Amino acid sequence: MIQDIVNAQNAFFSTHQTKDVAYRKQYLKQLKQEIEAQEDAICEALYADFKKPKFESLATETQLVLAELSYALKNIERWSRPEPIESSWTNFPSKDWIQYEPFGKVLIISPWNYPFMLTLAPVIGALAAGNTVVIKPSELSPNTSRIIAEIIKKVFPPEYVTVVEGGVDVSQALLSEKWEYIFFTGSTQVGKIVYKSAAEHLTPVTLELGGKNPCVVDETASLKLAAKRIVWGKFINAGQTCLAPDYILVHTSKKKDLVEAIKGQITSFYGPDIQKSPDFARITTEKHFKELKAMLQGQTLLFGGTCNDSESYVEPTLVDEPNLNSKLMEGEIFGPILPIISYEKEQDLHQYISNYGKPLAFYLFSTNKRFQKRLLSQYSFGGGTINDTVIHISNNRLPFGGVGASGIGGYHGKHSFELFSHKKSMVKRANWLDIPMRYPPYTLPIRWVKRFKHLF
Ligand code: NAD
């Protein structure tokens, strides 16, 4: 079956229909209409998967995808045009340009945590650039995967875009095929498997991975606002957000006040009985629920800690000064548990932050501009926000992606279009002049050749 899909997409791509920008636009428009028509059903699927509140489903899944679609539809013609480039004297007279060309068949593998947005957002870029797509959504969010499959089936012929549902075995079967591009969102561990498979065929990849995102709060931060924005970014989607602040590093002098402000903010957002709040999601898989529970073993809690097995509910929890060797601080938490660690001097930050690979995101709450500048130049990370969390993902003019352990490549908006395009470098020579000096026999004095650098 997978072989049939691969053959069909190869044959379809060879017809060059996707090279026509009007063709791409027509399908992207239909996709937009279908998502708009199914928006409530998509939210219901997300609720069925992990009780994702409708507000969050709209704000962080469907509306982001619709915004990405509108932005692509508005700009696709401009993006697709050949880009004129200044020519060099050596080629005079010539016309130089970059021509954007689709790669061919793209494989997109997505995770369960924002199962709609993280699947469709890259699909839009791949289609805007003129590729065909095979989508493998996560088996751990089956209701959302099903509705994605239905929407795609309704809008696209399978030789253009199709969904293959299934788990690890299906994913591996897909990876054993030859693709012209692979876009993977998921864990660092599986990212390595994807990268290895891609290497077999020299297939270019984008890897959107996770990380342990630090959130520094210094003594100049506006604490009340910091608490509100941290609580929002950490507990949205029940902490199952690749961009969520993973742990807090707060200046010792502000720790007590910050903890109180965070506690107050949690209660103000979710009420006194958080389990009853319609605005707080659940942990998607039992395996991860158990891992989160285990992370709390032996920790000192400042707030929360309740776990309800029957509902996969983990209460927003604050952990005081965890040991760096504990399970909680080993890797990405990916749940509603927030470790709070105090630091005395700026130099102390290094031992925590450098303990992990380059994170996907970095957050800093501070009004000290010099401190902001220093930390930004000192630490490498995918992207970040000063005085807020998570929101840098919402500007589709900014590339979204990791660096080092948190991934390879960035997408959204024009960056997606470029990511899914090969940039053909073109030079068109004129025939009315042909300067003979480059041709043998070489008669040009060497001292002249040494001046060529001024001509390139
Ligand atoms: P995962 O890596 O377990 O799974 C992602 C996808 O890979 C799924 O479709 C799954 O079926 C497939 N897969 C799983 N194991 C595989 C294997 N051995 N071989 C081939 N395919 C395999 O990730 P997840 O648990 O679904 O998602 C959580 C992770 O994703 C977190 O680490 C999170 O940080 C990361 N993430 C990153 C981003 C980002 O944009 N950078 C966004 C969301 C999530």
Side-chain angles (χ1 to χ4, degrees):
M1 179 211 164
I2 286 174
Q3 196 57 56
D4 295 341
I5 294 170
V6 166
N7 293 342
Q9 292 216 348
N10 278 337
F12 177 68
F13 187 73
S14 309
T15 65
H16 300 290
Q17 287 184 69
T18 65
K19 303 268 175 75
D20 178 5
V21 174
Y23 184 86
R24 302 176 198 172
K25 273 185 91 171
Q26 170 206 328
Y27 274 102
L28 287 173
K29 264 187 205 152
Q30 284 177 37
L31 178 62
K32 189 166 172 255
Q33 281 162 6
E34 191 56 27
I35 292 173
E36 277 165 350
Q38 301 264 15
E39 197 168 21
D40 285 339
I42 297 164
C43 294
E44 279 159 25
L46 286 157
Y47 189 82
D49 279 333
F50 58 112
K51 282 201 171 177
K52 182 153 178 156
K54 186 159 185 176
F55 177 89
E56 289 185 13
S57 293
L58 293 169
T60 69
E61 306 256 10
T62 55
Q63 291 292 310
L64 279 183
V65 168
L66 290 170
E68 189 75 11
L69 268 165
S70 302
Y71 193 64
L73 280 165
K74 198 168 141 206
N75 292 292
I76 185 169
E77 263 134 15
R78 195 163 51 83
W79 295 340
S80 317
R81 269 184 223 134
E83 189 181 320
I85 299 291
E86 198 184 332
S87 43
S88 64
W89 281 108
T90 41
N91 297 342
F92 181 82
S94 80
K95 205 171 153 184
D96 299 17
W97 73 95
I98 293 171
Q99 186 147 334
Y100 291 93
E101 158 185 287
F103 285 106
K105 301 184 307 303
V106 172
L107 172 64
I108 294 178
I109 302 178
S110 54
W112 52 262
N113 64 325
Y114 284 79
F116 189 77
M117 189 268 286
L118 291 173
T119 306
L120 269 298
V123 170
I124 296 163
L127 296 181
N131 300 281
T132 70
V133 182
V134 172
I135 303 165
K136 210 302 275 168
S138 175
E139 70 281 17
L140 302 177
S141 43
N143 295 288
T144 312
S145 295
R146 200 162 314 125
I147 197 159
I148 291 172
E150 283 164 18
I151 290 171
I152 295 296
K153 198 169 173 198
K154 196 156 175 207
V155 176
F156 299 94
E159 61 273 24
Y160 186 11
V161 188
T162 196
V163 174
V164 181
E165 289 183 82
V168 176
D169 50 336
V170 170
S171 190
Q172 288 183 341
L174 285 163
L175 284 168
S176 66
E177 297 293 334
K178 181 180 185 306
W179 302 91
E180 279 70 49
Y181 204 96
I182 299 176
F183 187 103
F184 170 81
T185 308
S187 59
T188 303
Q189 188 194 352
V190 180
K192 288 179 186 171
I193 297 172
V194 172
Y195 208 4
K196 266 191 195 153
S197 313
E200 281 295 313
H201 300 288
L202 287 180
T203 300
V205 292
T206 294
L207 302 175
E208 297 282 338
L209 312 175
K212 209 163 169 65
N213 308 319
C215 177
V216 177
V217 183
D218 82 352
E219 60 275 44
T220 71
S222 162
L223 280 195
K224 249 186 122 175
L225 201 54
K228 197 197 266 180
R229 292 174 174 175
I230 290 169
V231 170
W232 173 78
K234 177 70 186 184
F235 300 113
I236 193 167
N237 220 37
Q240 301 161 109
T241 304
C242 53
L243 281 175
D246 190 283
Y247 60 101
I248 291 194
L249 293 165
V250 56
H251 192 266
T252 316
S253 63
K254 295 289 171 185
K255 180 179 166 188
K256 197 165 163 282
D257 292 345
L258 182 72
V259 169
E260 287 315 307
I262 289 180
K263 283 184 189 172
Q265 206 58 65
I266 295 173
T267 310
S268 138
F269 281 180
Y270 304 110
D273 187 351
I274 302 172
Q275 202 166 342
K276 291 210 178 101
S277 166
D279 299 328
F280 187 71
R282 296 297 182 261
I283 304 306
T284 312
T285 70
E286 201 189 323
K287 179 172 166 271
H288 194 49
F289 172 78
K290 283 188 180 144
E291 282 166 3
L292 289 170
K293 238 172 111 173
M295 284 182 200
L296 293 177
Q297 297 285 314
Q299 301 290 359
T300 310
L301 305 187
L302 296 163
F303 186 90
T306 308
C307 298
N308 183 328
D309 294 55
S310 66
E311 269 207 50
S312 282
Y313 165 78
V314 176
E315 187 179 9
T317 301
L318 306 181
V319 174
D320 193 26
E321 309 287 345
N323 189 313
L324 280 192
N325 299 318
S326 65
K327 244 192 167 63
L328 184 68
M329 295 308 287
E330 243 171 36
E332 184 185 27
I333 297 171
F334 222 59
I337 305 173
L338 183 58
I340 302 198
I341 299 164
S342 53
Y343 73 93
E344 190 68 50
K345 293 189 293 306
E346 190 179 325
Q347 302 86 288
D348 299 341
L349 291 172
H350 194 68
Q351 59 172 307
Y352 301 104
I353 299 171
S354 63
N355 203 28
Y356 310 99
K358 293 177 182 177
L360 182 62
F362 189 100
Y363 302 111
L364 169 61
F365 286 84
S366 167
T367 52
N368 178 341
K369 286 193 182 144
R370 288 202 182 146
F371 185 54
Q372 293 173 1
K373 223 169 149 183
R374 268 199 311 276
L375 289 200
L376 279 202
S377 85
Q378 238 162 54
Y379 295 105
S380 181
F381 48 88
T385 309
I386 295 171
N387 294 326
D388 208 332
T389 60
V390 179
I391 49 127
H392 56 286
I393 193 179
S394 66
N395 181 353
N396 52 20
R397 285 164 288 273
L398 287 172
F400 170 63
V403 57
S406 56
I408 300 171
Y411 72 122
H412 284 179
K414 185 168 189 226
H415 306 284
S416 291
F417 177 86
E418 291 192 356
L419 188 88
F420 286 110
S421 300
H422 165 60
K423 288 181 181 171
K424 250 182 195 164
S425 299
M426 292 304 306
V427 173
K428 184 175 173 183
R429 294 296 312 275
N431 290 341
W432 57 269
L433 180 69
D434 193 35
I435 299 168
M437 66 184 180
R438 69 174 151 141
Y439 301 117
Y442 302 122
T443 52
L444 209 64
I446 288 297
R447 68 191 152 83
W448 282 35
V449 182
K450 285 192 169 177
R451 300 183 68 80
F452 270 16
K453 56 183 173 282
H454 302 297
L455 300 175
F456 290 118

